Amino acid sequence: VAEGIPGIFMNLKITLSYDGSAYVGWQRQPNGISVQEKVEEVLKKLSGSKVIVEGASRTDTGVHALGMVISFRWPAKRPGWNELARSLNALLPEDIRILKVSRVSEKFHARFNAKRKLYRYRILNSKTGDPFRRGVSWLIFRSLNVSAMNRAARCFVGKHDFSSVAANPGYERETMVRTIRMCRVIRNKDEIHVEVEGDGFLYKMVRTMVGTLVEVGLGKRKPDSIKELIRSQDRTKAGKTAPAQGLFLVKVVY
Amino acid sequence: VAEGIPGIFMNLKITLSYDGSAYVGWQRQPNGISVQEKVEEVLKKLSGSKVIVEGASRTDTGVHALGMVISFRWPAKRPGWNELARSLNALLPEDIRILKVSRVSEKFHARFNAKRKLYRYRILNSKTGDPFRRGVSWLIFRSLNVSAMNRAARCFVGKHDFSSVAANPGYERETMVRTIRMCRVIRNKDEIHVEVEGDGFLYKMVRTMVGTLVEVGLGKRKPDSIKELIRSQDRTKAGKTAPAQGLFLVKVVY
C-alpha cells in the first residue's frame, strides 16, 4: 500500500490542547462529536484525502488536554508540513489548538510508543466558587485535608491490579494491572491538584482515584484504607467517580 | 416610605464576580438577561418582596467582573443577613458568585460613593491561542511592543475630555471629562494586560483605549500620537473597540 512507500508519506507527530467540554472525548464515538473527528476533518481538507490519526490516550467525555499527542501519515508531496500548525489552527474551532507539529521516524506511533502519561485533576476548594473556573475544576465547599490526601495518594504508587478504581472491571478482557509512578496531592492557592503519572490507565481510573482521595480529605475514609481498597479489587469499595471537567491530560512521555 | 424607617430596612453591600459571557451586562436591558436581573430575582426569592440593587458600574454586554460592588436595602426582620452569601450562591447560576456581604451605613450607595474603578484588559499574545482562555482574553497573533504601548498608555493619564475614545460621543448630555489615575501595560507570560484606573469611564472607553494601544503595539501608530488623539476629541481618529470578552472590572474603591 501507498503508506509503506518511503517518500510518498511522512510520519507526523502533533501535540495539541483542547477544552473537552463540547466533546465526547478524544476518540470517535457514534453518540457525539469527538476531538479526533474534528482534527481528521481538517486534515482531510488540507491534504485532499482521508487521514486517520492515532491518539496517545482516549480521554473521556468532557476531559481536557494540555498536551495530547497524536501521530499520522501525511502525503510527502503536500508542501509546507512545517506550516501545518498555523493552517490547522486557522481551520479548527478555538477549543482545539495545535501546539506543535514535528516530523518523526516511520516507526513512531502515538499510542504504542507512549511510555508514561501525566494527568492533573483540579479541585477548587472554596466556599464560593469562581465563575472563571467552572468548566475546569471540581468545586468542593468543605475544607479538604491535603496532608491526609497525600498520605493516601502514595498508596496508589506501584504495580497493582487496579480493578477497585476502574469502571466496568472485566469489561475489557485485558489485564487490570497498571504501574503508577507518581501520585501526589498539592495545594495551589485555593485549588488542590491531584497529579498522577503512570504507564497506562483503566477506564475512569484517575477520576475514581480522585473521588476516593476526596473522601479521605473529608475525613470519611482513612489514608491507610487505600491499601486495603486496592487489595480488595472491588469497585464498590472505592469513592464516587470525580466529575470529568476537572481532569487534564497534561503530557505524554515517549 | 418603609425604606426610610430605621430598623425596618438595613443597607447591605455585596462584592460579586461574574463571567459576563452569557449576559447583556450588569444593568437591566430589554434585549436580554442582565446580571442585575439574576441577582434581584434571587434576592426577591429570599426576602419575599421586590429588591432593587444599585451597581457601581454598568459593564457592557460580555464584560466580566472580579469585584463588582452593589448596594440595596434589605428587610431587617429577615434573619441571617450574614448567611446571605451562602444562600445567594446556592440559588444563583454558577457564572455569578457572591464574594462578600457586609452591612453598611444607611448613606452608602454603590454607584454614587464609588471613588475609583480599576479595569484590567487581558490580551493573549500567542501564535496558537489557548482553549482555556478563549472567553477571557483577546487573542492577537502578531507580537506586540509592550514598551511602546506603555509609553502610549501614560498619555491617557490625567483629566481630559475623552470624546475621542468614547462610543456615541455626545449621546449622553453630560460632560466627557474624566480623570484617569493610572494606565499601564504589563507583560504577564504570554498575556499582555492593560490596567486602567479612573474616577469614571465613558461608554466603551476602556475598550477603545485598548484598541488604540494595540495599534501602537503593532507599530501602526506612534506612542506620542495619543496626545494628539485626545486633543482632537474625534472618535474616528482612535483605534477599533477591543472585544468585550477581554475586559474585567477588577475593583471599586470607596
Side-chain angles (χ1 to χ4, degrees):
Chain A
V1 293
E3 282 84 348
I5 305 171
I8 307 246
F9 284 88
M10 58 172 83
N11 202 17
L12 295 184
K13 173 190 174 191
I14 279 183
T15 307
L16 69 159
S17 173
Y18 51 81
D19 177 337
S21 311
Y23 302 101
V24 295
W26 162 256
Q27 196 162 278
R28 276 181 185 272
Q29 303 285 347
N31 61 326
I33 310 288
S34 63
V35 180
Q36 182 180 17
E37 195 176 325
K38 284 287 178 191
V39 172
E40 288 181 348
E41 203 174 276
V42 173
L43 285 169
K44 185 181 174 181
K45 209 171 277 181
L46 291 170
S47 77
S49 59
K50 189 171 177 176
V51 177
I52 291 171
V53 302
E54 298 287 346
S57 171
R58 285 180 202 165
T59 74
D60 299 335
T61 300
V63 170
H64 313 297
L66 299 177
M68 166 64 110
V69 175
I70 62 176
S71 60
F72 56 96
R73 298 189 174 269
W74 185 250
K77 63 175 194 287
R78 299 292 310 176
W81 67 267
N82 43 4
E83 301 266 307
L84 201 55
R86 200 187 298 181
S87 314
L88 284 165
N89 281 330
L91 294 172
L92 282 166
E94 282 182 60
D95 53 4
I96 304 175
R97 295 287 91 187
I98 304 298
L99 304 179
K100 201 181 163 187
V101 180
S102 49
R103 192 174 176 173
V104 285
S105 103
E106 286 297 310
K107 285 169 187 160
F108 180 85
H109 188 287
R111 183 151 49 98
F112 301 145
N113 295 153
K115 279 213 185 80
R116 295 192 305 279
K117 286 162 206 160
L118 172 64
Y119 282 93
R120 179 179 301 131
Y121 195 96
R122 289 172 65 179
I123 295 164
L124 178 56
N125 198 200
S126 145
K127 295 208 186 314
T128 52
D130 180 344
F132 304 100
R133 287 179 284 176
R134 278 174 297 151
V136 292
S137 62
W138 181 15
L139 176 59
I140 295 180
F141 293 116
R142 283 182 54 201
S143 182
L144 293 169
N145 181 338
V146 175
S147 93
M149 288 174 78
N150 226 336
R151 283 201 302 282
R154 279 197 293 270
C155 303
F156 284 120
V157 176
K159 189 174 177 178
H160 304 289
D161 180 306
F162 283 102
S163 301
S164 62
V165 287
N168 305 322
Y171 174 78
E172 304 172 66
R173 293 284 180 86
E174 29 170 340
T175 171
M176 305 299 271
V177 175
R178 294 291 184 277
T179 303
I180 296 299
R181 305 272 166 190
M182 185 267 283
C183 183
R184 61 177 182 179
V185 184
I186 306 158
R187 180 178 293 280
N188 187 344
K189 292 174 192 165
D190 58 356
E191 292 192 17
I192 291 166
H193 294 176
V194 180
E195 293 189 341
V196 192
E197 190 170 313
D199 61 354
F201 295 90
L202 302 167
Y203 189 45
K204 294 193 179 167
M205 177 169 155
V206 178
R207 288 159 57 195
T208 310
M209 288 166 69
V210 171
T212 309
L213 290 174
V214 162
E215 291 187 356
V216 172
L218 292 170
K220 293 180 182 171
R221 187 188 281 268
K222 289 207 168 125
D224 256 5
S225 71
I226 301 296
K227 290 176 191 165
E228 205 180 319
L229 169 69
I230 296 171
R231 270 196 302 272
S232 77
Q233 299 184 17
D234 180 355
R235 172 64 184 87
T236 67
K237 292 199 159 64
K240 280 183 203 156
T241 304
Q245 86 269 5
L247 187 57
F248 292 76
L249 171 61
V250 177
K251 67 172 178 183
V252 185
V253 180
Y254 290 93
Chain B
V1 292
E3 282 85 347
I5 304 169
I8 305 244
F9 284 87
M10 58 173 82
N11 202 17
L12 295 185
K13 173 189 173 191
I14 280 185
T15 307
L16 70 158
S17 173
Y18 50 83
D19 177 338
S21 309
Y23 301 102
V24 294
W26 162 257
Q27 195 162 281
R28 276 181 186 272
Q29 303 286 346
N31 61 326
I33 310 288
S34 62
V35 179
Q36 182 181 16
E37 194 176 327
K38 284 286 177 191
V39 172
E40 286 181 349
E41 202 175 277
V42 173
L43 284 170
K44 185 180 176 183
K45 207 172 277 180
L46 291 170
S47 78
S49 59
K50 189 171 177 175
V51 178
I52 291 170
V53 302
E54 298 287 347
S57 171
R58 286 180 200 167
T59 74
D60 298 335
T61 301
V63 170
H64 313 297
L66 299 177
M68 167 65 113
V69 176
I70 63 176
S71 61
F72 56 96
R73 298 190 173 269
W74 186 249
K77 63 177 194 290
R78 300 291 311 175
W81 66 268
N82 45 0
E83 301 265 308
L84 201 54
R86 198 186 300 183
S87 314
L88 284 166
N89 281 330
L91 294 171
L92 282 166
E94 282 183 59
D95 53 4
I96 303 174
R97 294 288 92 187
I98 304 298
L99 306 179
K100 201 181 163 188
V101 180
S102 49
R103 190 173 179 174
V104 285
S105 104
E106 285 295 311
K107 284 171 189 162
F108 180 84
H109 187 287
R111 183 150 50 95
F112 301 145
N113 295 153
K115 278 215 186 78
R116 293 191 306 279
K117 288 162 204 160
L118 172 64
Y119 281 93
R120 180 179 300 130
Y121 194 97
R122 288 172 66 180
I123 295 164
L124 179 54
N125 199 200
S126 145
K127 295 208 187 311
T128 51
D130 180 344
F132 304 101
R133 285 179 285 175
R134 277 175 297 150
V136 292
S137 63
W138 181 16
L139 176 58
I140 295 181
F141 292 117
R142 284 180 55 198
S143 181
L144 293 169
N145 181 339
V146 175
S147 94
M149 289 173 76
N150 226 335
R151 283 201 303 280
R154 278 197 294 269
C155 303
F156 284 120
V157 176
K159 188 172 177 179
H160 304 289
D161 180 306
F162 282 103
S163 300
S164 63
V165 288
N168 306 324
Y171 174 77
E172 304 173 67
R173 293 284 180 87
E174 32 172 335
T175 171
M176 306 299 271
V177 174
R178 294 291 184 276
T179 303
I180 296 299
R181 305 271 165 192
M182 184 267 284
C183 184
R184 61 177 181 180
V185 184
I186 306 158
R187 181 179 293 281
N188 188 344
K189 291 175 193 163
D190 58 355
E191 292 192 16
I192 291 166
H193 295 175
V194 179
E195 293 189 342
V196 192
E197 190 170 313
D199 61 355
F201 294 90
L202 302 167
Y203 189 43
K204 295 194 179 166
M205 177 170 155
V206 178
R207 288 158 60 196
T208 310
M209 287 167 69
V210 170
T212 308
L213 291 174
V214 162
E215 291 188 355
V216 171
L218 291 170
K220 291 180 184 173
R221 186 189 282 268
K222 292 209 165 119
D224 256 5
S225 71
I226 301 298
K227 290 177 191 163
E228 205 180 320
L229 169 70
I230 296 172
R231 270 196 302 271
S232 78
Q233 300 184 17
D234 180 357
R235 172 65 184 84
T236 67
K237 292 201 159 61
K240 280 182 203 156
T241 304
Q245 86 270 4
L247 186 58
F248 293 76
L249 171 61
V250 177
K251 67 171 177 180
V252 185
V253 180
Y254 290 93

